mmCIF file of all heavy atoms in Angstrom:
data_model
loop_
_atom_site.group_PDB
_atom_site.id
_atom_site.type_symbol
_atom_site.label_atom_id
_atom_site.label_comp_id
_atom_site.label_asym_id
_atom_site.label_seq_id
_atom_site.Cartn_x
_atom_site.Cartn_y
_atom_site.Cartn_z
ATOM 1 N N ILE A 46 -2.444 29.325 160.189
ATOM 2 C CA ILE A 46 -2.525 28.934 158.777
ATOM 3 C C ILE A 46 -3.970 28.873 158.318
ATOM 4 O O ILE A 46 -4.321 29.378 157.245
ATOM 5 C CB ILE A 46 -1.830 27.572 158.567
ATOM 6 C CG1 ILE A 46 -0.315 27.718 158.689
ATOM 7 C CG2 ILE A 46 -2.181 26.986 157.212
ATOM 8 C CD1 ILE A 46 0.420 26.406 158.572
ATOM 9 N N GLN A 64 -6.028 20.858 156.178
ATOM 10 C CA GLN A 64 -5.941 19.604 156.926
ATOM 11 C C GLN A 64 -5.421 18.475 156.039
ATOM 12 O O GLN A 64 -4.603 17.659 156.460
ATOM 13 C CB GLN A 64 -7.324 19.223 157.487
ATOM 14 C CG GLN A 64 -7.824 20.126 158.586
ATOM 15 C CD GLN A 64 -7.103 19.902 159.898
ATOM 16 O OE1 GLN A 64 -6.543 18.853 160.137
ATOM 17 N NE2 GLN A 64 -7.115 20.917 160.752
ATOM 18 N N SER A 86 17.130 1.847 162.597
ATOM 19 C CA SER A 86 16.966 2.469 163.910
ATOM 20 C C SER A 86 15.725 3.354 163.927
ATOM 21 O O SER A 86 15.616 4.311 163.149
ATOM 22 C CB SER A 86 18.206 3.310 164.247
ATOM 23 O OG SER A 86 17.961 4.147 165.358
ATOM 24 N N SER A 102 8.519 24.358 159.276
ATOM 25 C CA SER A 102 8.040 25.455 160.123
ATOM 26 C C SER A 102 8.930 26.683 160.000
ATOM 27 O O SER A 102 8.440 27.830 159.922
ATOM 28 C CB SER A 102 7.978 24.976 161.577
ATOM 29 O OG SER A 102 7.388 25.941 162.402
ATOM 30 N N ILE A 294 -17.381 0.482 180.859
ATOM 31 C CA ILE A 294 -18.080 0.202 179.602
ATOM 32 C C ILE A 294 -17.234 -0.725 178.751
ATOM 33 O O ILE A 294 -16.035 -0.478 178.576
ATOM 34 C CB ILE A 294 -18.363 1.516 178.836
ATOM 35 C CG1 ILE A 294 -19.122 2.504 179.717
ATOM 36 C CG2 ILE A 294 -19.153 1.235 177.564
ATOM 37 C CD1 ILE A 294 -19.299 3.874 179.075
ATOM 38 N N SER A 318 -26.159 28.588 165.937
ATOM 39 C CA SER A 318 -25.418 29.824 165.682
ATOM 40 C C SER A 318 -24.973 30.457 166.998
ATOM 41 O O SER A 318 -24.597 31.623 167.040
ATOM 42 C CB SER A 318 -26.302 30.826 164.913
ATOM 43 O OG SER A 318 -27.496 31.105 165.641
ATOM 44 N N VAL A 354 5.652 -4.258 164.450
ATOM 45 C CA VAL A 354 4.767 -3.239 165.003
ATOM 46 C C VAL A 354 4.916 -1.901 164.275
ATOM 47 O O VAL A 354 3.933 -1.174 164.086
ATOM 48 C CB VAL A 354 5.005 -3.068 166.518
ATOM 49 C CG1 VAL A 354 6.401 -2.543 166.806
ATOM 50 C CG2 VAL A 354 3.950 -2.167 167.148
ATOM 51 N N GLY A 403 -18.857 -1.838 164.474
ATOM 52 C CA GLY A 403 -18.312 -2.787 165.432
ATOM 53 C C GLY A 403 -19.050 -4.114 165.443
ATOM 54 O O GLY A 403 -18.482 -5.150 165.808
ATOM 55 N N LEU A 410 -9.008 -9.242 171.203
ATOM 56 C CA LEU A 410 -7.602 -9.528 171.484
ATOM 57 C C LEU A 410 -7.449 -10.620 172.540
ATOM 58 O O LEU A 410 -6.413 -10.744 173.170
ATOM 59 C CB LEU A 410 -6.897 -8.259 171.964
ATOM 60 C CG LEU A 410 -6.868 -7.098 170.972
ATOM 61 C CD1 LEU A 410 -6.075 -5.942 171.562
ATOM 62 C CD2 LEU A 410 -6.286 -7.517 169.649
ATOM 63 N N TYR A 443 3.050 -36.314 160.449
ATOM 64 C CA TYR A 443 2.416 -36.639 161.724
ATOM 65 C C TYR A 443 1.615 -37.919 161.566
ATOM 66 O O TYR A 443 1.029 -38.176 160.500
ATOM 67 C CB TYR A 443 1.466 -35.521 162.179
ATOM 68 C CG TYR A 443 2.106 -34.185 162.374
ATOM 69 C CD1 TYR A 443 2.229 -33.286 161.313
ATOM 70 C CD2 TYR A 443 2.570 -33.782 163.619
ATOM 71 C CE1 TYR A 443 2.812 -32.043 161.486
ATOM 72 C CE2 TYR A 443 3.152 -32.532 163.803
ATOM 73 C CZ TYR A 443 3.259 -31.672 162.725
ATOM 74 O OH TYR A 443 3.837 -30.439 162.898
ATOM 75 N N ARG A 502 10.516 -15.011 164.142
ATOM 76 C CA ARG A 502 9.332 -14.175 164.328
ATOM 77 C C ARG A 502 8.244 -14.853 165.153
ATOM 78 O O ARG A 502 7.386 -14.178 165.716
ATOM 79 C CB ARG A 502 8.754 -13.804 162.955
ATOM 80 C CG ARG A 502 9.610 -12.838 162.163
ATOM 81 C CD ARG A 502 9.087 -12.705 160.749
ATOM 82 N NE ARG A 502 9.828 -11.694 159.997
ATOM 83 C CZ ARG A 502 9.659 -11.458 158.697
ATOM 84 N NH1 ARG A 502 8.776 -12.176 158.018
ATOM 85 N NH2 ARG A 502 10.358 -10.528 158.099
ATOM 86 N N ARG A 532 15.433 -27.010 143.133
ATOM 87 C CA ARG A 532 16.293 -26.701 141.988
ATOM 88 C C ARG A 532 15.512 -26.923 140.697
ATOM 89 O O ARG A 532 14.767 -27.900 140.574
ATOM 90 C CB ARG A 532 17.556 -27.581 141.989
ATOM 91 C CG ARG A 532 18.592 -27.129 143.014
ATOM 92 C CD ARG A 532 19.183 -25.779 142.608
ATOM 93 N NE ARG A 532 20.151 -25.298 143.580
ATOM 94 C CZ ARG A 532 19.893 -24.406 144.512
ATOM 95 N NH1 ARG A 532 18.663 -23.939 144.638
ATOM 96 N NH2 ARG A 532 20.849 -23.989 145.329
#
Side-chain angles (χ1 to χ4, degrees):
I46 288 177
Q64 291 286 337
S86 167
S102 186
I294 305 174
S318 58
V354 65
L410 299 183
Y443 300 88
R502 290 171 175 174
R532 284 292 178 261

